[in-house]
Amino acid sequence: MSHTQALCRFLAELHDAQLPDAVLARTEELYLDWLASALASQGSHPIPLFERYAQKMGPATGPAQIIVNGASSSAYFAALVNAAASHLVEQDDLHNSSVLHPATVVFPAALAAAQDLGKSGRELLLAAVAGYEAGIRIGEFMGRSHYRIFHTTATVGTLAAAVAVGKLLDFNEEQFINLLGSAGTQAAGLWEFLRDAADSKQLHTAKAAADGLLAAYLTADGLSGARNILEGEQGLAAGMSSDAEPSKLSAGLGSRWALLETSFKFHASCRHTHPAADALLGLMQREGLGAAEIAKVETRVYQGAIDVLGRVMVPATVHQAKFSMGTVLGLIAVHGKAGLTEFHQWALGDPAVAAFRDKVSMTFDRAVDDAYPQRWLGRVTVTCVDGRTLHGAVDEPKGDPGNTLDRGQLADKFQRLCQFSGARTPAQASALIEKVWNLRSAVSMAHWL
Amino acid sequence: MSHTQALCRFLAELHDAQLPDAVLARTEELYLDWLASALASQGSHPIPLFERYAQKMGPATGPAQIIVNGASSSAYFAALVNAAASHLVEQDDLHNSSVLHPATVVFPAALAAAQDLGKSGRELLLAAVAGYEAGIRIGEFMGRSHYRIFHTTATVGTLAAAVAVGKLLDFNEEQFINLLGSAGTQAAGLWEFLRDAADSKQLHTAKAAADGLLAAYLTADGLSGARNILEGEQGLAAGMSSDAEPSKLSAGLGSRWALLETSFKFHASCRHTHPAADALLGLMQREGLGAAEIAKVETRVYQGAIDVLGRVMVPATVHQAKFSMGTVLGLIAVHGKAGLTEFHQWALGDPAVAAFRDKVSMTFDRAVDDAYPQRWLGRVTVTCVDGRTLHGAVDEPKGDPGNTLDRGQLADKFQRLCQFSGARTPAQASALIEKVWNLRSAVSMAHWL
């Protein structure tokens, strides 16, 4: 039995009673965190473009809800818009060793299909678990070489979204094999946009969720796909990876819940900046250091951080600033935080942040690189104005499984994100939070929002 | 100025008066040939799946027409279904040196957008020329290494379709640059499906046309894309090619009309089988040879043919048989033709064809490979039952620019393809042919079909 086949069999046989309580509970938390990210982007460019596209090309109304505007559409367009929306403010979750943002592709597709099909909250949760478990393993399988050029959340995200919808459609092993074929052959998304601060990141997640859903609905109707799209000679790894490891596809199925390893984002920036941000923050607090006392910060990082962040020198937009190591550390040093509000107030216009940005460098570090992507180590060396050299280190950035956010902290983050965009009043947000904590009891996801 | 920029400037400035009559006329011929391919697939799996998907996810009616069922939808879904339909029967056009099937991605997107925007026949033709000229050059740029793993019509097709729609939207240079970014980052499509006779080929063209259209509409509304998606360090060539040649992107812009180099398909099979099919047919006619007198056929081919055709041993479906060199040569040898009717009657069930199939082999030939993809040389060595060894050769397979089909032959092909599916009566087909020969005079493409 191939690794792909083993994965598909697991997905087909996965059932509700198998899920440990901790997995169910964490999936609700990830769902809340995802909703927060979508709501926070209400009204922000380029999300209205996707809303208008759905209006123009889709039906006037439909069974699936669009989070940012309260409208409805077919499942396809709801997945498209909600996935674009939930990846804009850089607050959505991340799985370390796969370098995949699962929520922003899995939940939009799963929610849209669950609403279309009238599925329950428990069924939505089960589908999401399937999407996470498959997506994370496929991301790990594709390896670091893939992520150097390709945005894994876009490419692998298409398969993760497809699997979640396939689970809602009660696919058997054979259907999951065909589904991976049809989803995998649509996998796309290049990092090139980053250096231009272009809008592709939201296009990527929008298309991944929508394409994955499309693959699942067509598979349900009888479309066949390549049986070995992951491992085959003209498949995904053959075309887009040089270090793929097939055994990752089936490792620990049913015993290891990869979903539990997913990190919540605390800072509102690219996750590659978080280890250094936490290391700097810890060092400054420990030493009682102010920004003005710092002459230089050397962050010692893995190659992936350089590949993604190394393109951004002077950020041109708030979104691009989230990929600027210097800006993130500047916000931390000058304002003590790098949340959504700090980014919008100070990431571009504050001379103190800009000045600090120019003090920050990134250096490749062999030991940090060896640990990655299983562990995202933060290492900074600070040279003080008075000549001292200080070291800061963090092994589990805030939000990582060993340093996670609890339900109270997630509710706080939800409130902050709703407040940022004005998408919900505090009272409305509280009600929505309660609804999510009872997601597993929801009889039907139809009109859930 | 980069090659990408030069290409985008050319596309922005391209205007109707610039097009030689020969280009306008050939574009009408390519359009007719494309319509024939779409009509021929009416009712055949998997096209109804795409029709149902459009019905479920799109509006009940819309400005853009779906060729195979007479229904209408939004431009997005019309492009999706029409592009799936026109790539099923393996009769759509091909450009040699780019190994791109331009019609099946360019025309669905262009027609859908032209109908949506109420554009004229001349505007449709201009848009198609833009799509062909850009798509062919991008295909050439991506090189042979790309085609080894990726279905160029899927990947590059997304950009070709996008450009055609961008032209209908009157894009300037800047918009074309952004458009390539948003289309290029969606480029996907792997050959892996071939060995399983899976339905991905139609999914590929459907998605290429629809995704290209989506990229254009979003660009018109203000979505930005990577400025260097083709040549950049984390762009299309960096991720999916090892022999890309940037100069191909801008070679001969405005003087060389690459569209005129496009080949029409005569046989109803993968174009990689045509050179050998014509060489064998010529040899058999020259020598007055029957199938029973042939003991062995060695076809001497370029590597690309082995990559694509080498996966199919005993075909499981009629569509897969079109990628079986042995089956195609068997139809030629036993029945004298490899048209749609021959495929459906004899490709799978005829013992004489199956017996001949097993006599056929493919051998890599250095000289043939050196000429490819600029020239698709056909070379066969036949060993007769009586011991003689005979050689057949063709330098321009039927349908190539130097051996093209004239309007009469294209009209015949159109009639045959309509008859095959029953999509149009001969009289209806004749009327449609006349309409195409007057395409450049059509005031509006709205409700054109």
Side-chain angles (χ1 to χ4, degrees), chain A residues 211-253:
Chain A
D211 290 348
L213 185 139
L214 174 145
Y217 275 75
L218 286 174
T219 303
D221 200 16
L223 192 81
S224 64
R227 303 185 65 79
N228 205 14
I229 198 72
L230 299 171
E231 306 171 67
E233 278 171 50
Q234 291 173 305
L236 208 57
M240 307 187 188
S241 171
S242 58
D243 62 346
E245 284 186 48
S247 66
K248 302 267 191 189
L249 291 170
S250 59
L253 287 170

Side-chain angles (χ1 to χ4, degrees), chain B residues 174-408:
Chain B
E174 183 66 15
Q175 287 173 306
F176 272 116
I177 287 176
N178 280 291
L179 174 62
L180 293 186
S182 291
T185 206
Q186 296 180 68
L190 297 156
W191 278 124
E192 182 61 28
F193 74 91
L194 261 190
R195 76 195 68 195
D196 303 313
D199 300 323
S200 307
K201 206 155 189 269
Q202 293 76 52
L203 177 63
H204 287 176
T205 51
K207 289 299 306 313
D211 289 349
L213 186 139
L214 174 146
Y217 274 75
L218 286 174
T219 303
D221 200 17
L223 192 80
S224 64
R227 304 186 64 81
N228 205 14
I229 198 73
L230 299 171
E231 307 171 66
E233 277 172 50
Q234 291 173 306
L236 207 58
M240 307 188 188
S241 171
S242 58
D243 63 346
E245 286 186 45
S247 67
K248 302 266 191 191
L249 291 170
S250 60
L253 287 170
S255 54
R256 166 200 176 203
W257 296 98
L259 174 143
L260 291 174
E261 304 157 4
T262 307
S263 302
F264 296 105
K265 270 190 174 182
F266 186 68
H267 313 297
S269 57
C270 175
R271 184 72 179 166
H272 293 308
T273 65
H274 293 209
D278 286 351
L280 178 65
L281 190 59
L283 180 153
M284 290 178 72
Q285 287 169 346
R286 186 187 75 209
E287 304 284 340
L289 217 59
E293 297 167 73
I294 294 178
K296 217 170 71 178
V297 182
E298 182 192 27
T299 65
R300 299 201 309 284
V301 299
Y302 43 84
Q303 184 60 41
I306 295 173
D307 290 343
V308 172
L309 306 174
R311 313 297 167 184
V312 182
M313 300 308 162
V314 178
T317 64
V318 170
H319 188 262
Q320 200 183 36
K322 298 177 175 199
F323 293 80
S324 157
M325 181 68 96
T327 303
V328 175
L329 267 51
L331 289 171
I332 291 284
V334 177
H335 299 286
K337 285 201 272 190
L340 276 183
T341 307
E342 289 74 29
F343 265 100
H344 281 261
Q345 286 193 331
W346 293 306
L348 298 183
D350 184 349
V353 171
F356 199 92
R357 187 189 68 220
D358 296 336
K359 299 178 184 174
V360 175
S361 63
M362 284 192 289
T363 311
F364 175 82
D365 183 293
R366 171 58 58 196
V368 171
D369 193 72
D370 284 346
Y372 177 87
Q374 283 68 36
R375 302 172 69 207
W376 295 40
L377 304 179
R379 298 287 182 270
V380 297
T381 302
V382 168
T383 308
C384 297
V385 173
D386 63 16
R388 281 183 301 160
T389 300
L390 302 169
H391 296 281
V394 67
D395 287 356
E396 292 205 79
K398 188 153 183 72
D400 260 19
N403 187 12
T404 194
L405 307 183
D406 62 25
R407 287 199 164 196

Side-chain angles (χ1 to χ4, degrees), chain A residues 81-343:
Chain A
V81 180
N82 291 339
S86 53
H87 203 45
L88 180 65
V89 298
E90 293 290 331
Q91 287 271 264
D92 54 308
D93 68 15
L94 174 86
H95 182 272
N96 283 353
S97 57
S98 57
V99 203
L100 176 75
H101 295 278
T104 189
V105 287
V106 167
F107 284 122
L111 176 60
Q115 294 198 310
D116 185 37
L117 302 165
K119 296 285 180 173
S120 70
R122 277 194 99 89
E123 288 168 311
L124 171 69
L125 292 169
L126 180 69
V129 172
Y132 271 69
E133 296 301 317
I136 288 168
R137 283 176 176 81
I138 296 169
E140 290 175 337
F141 156 72
M142 291 297 285
R144 291 177 63 171
S145 65
H146 179 68
Y147 187 75
R148 205 174 57 78
I149 306 274
F150 296 93
H151 182 199
T152 302
T153 302
T155 54
V156 174
T158 310
L159 293 120
V163 164
V165 179
K167 193 65 196 171
L168 285 163
L169 288 161
D170 295 319
F171 278 6
N172 59 29
E173 178 183 328
E174 183 66 15
Q175 287 173 304
F176 272 115
I177 287 176
N178 280 290
L179 173 62
L180 292 185
S182 292
T185 205
Q186 297 181 69
L190 297 156
W191 278 123
E192 182 62 28
F193 74 91
L194 259 191
R195 76 195 69 196
D196 304 314
D199 300 322
S200 307
K201 207 156 190 267
Q202 292 76 52
L203 176 64
H204 287 176
T205 51
K207 289 298 306 315
D211 290 348
L213 185 139
L214 174 145
Y217 275 75
L218 286 174
T219 303
D221 200 16
L223 192 81
S224 64
R227 303 185 65 79
N228 205 14
I229 198 72
L230 299 171
E231 306 171 67
E233 278 171 50
Q234 291 173 305
L236 208 57
M240 307 187 188
S241 171
S242 58
D243 62 346
E245 284 186 48
S247 66
K248 302 267 191 189
L249 291 170
S250 59
L253 287 170
S255 55
R256 167 200 176 202
W257 296 98
L259 175 141
L260 291 174
E261 304 157 4
T262 307
S263 302
F264 296 104
K265 269 190 175 181
F266 185 67
H267 312 298
S269 57
C270 175
R271 184 72 179 168
H272 294 307
T273 65
H274 293 208
D278 286 351
L280 178 65
L281 190 59
L283 179 154
M284 290 178 72
Q285 288 170 344
R286 187 188 75 210
E287 304 284 339
L289 216 60
E293 298 167 72
I294 294 178
K296 218 169 71 177
V297 182
E298 182 192 27
T299 65
R300 298 201 310 283
V301 299
Y302 43 84
Q303 185 60 41
I306 295 172
D307 291 342
V308 171
L309 306 175
R311 314 296 168 185
V312 182
M313 299 309 160
V314 179
T317 64
V318 169
H319 188 261
Q320 200 183 35
K322 298 177 175 199
F323 293 81
S324 157
M325 182 68 96
T327 304
V328 175
L329 267 51
L331 289 171
I332 293 284
V334 177
H335 299 285
K337 285 201 271 189
L340 276 183
T341 307
E342 289 74 30
F343 264 100

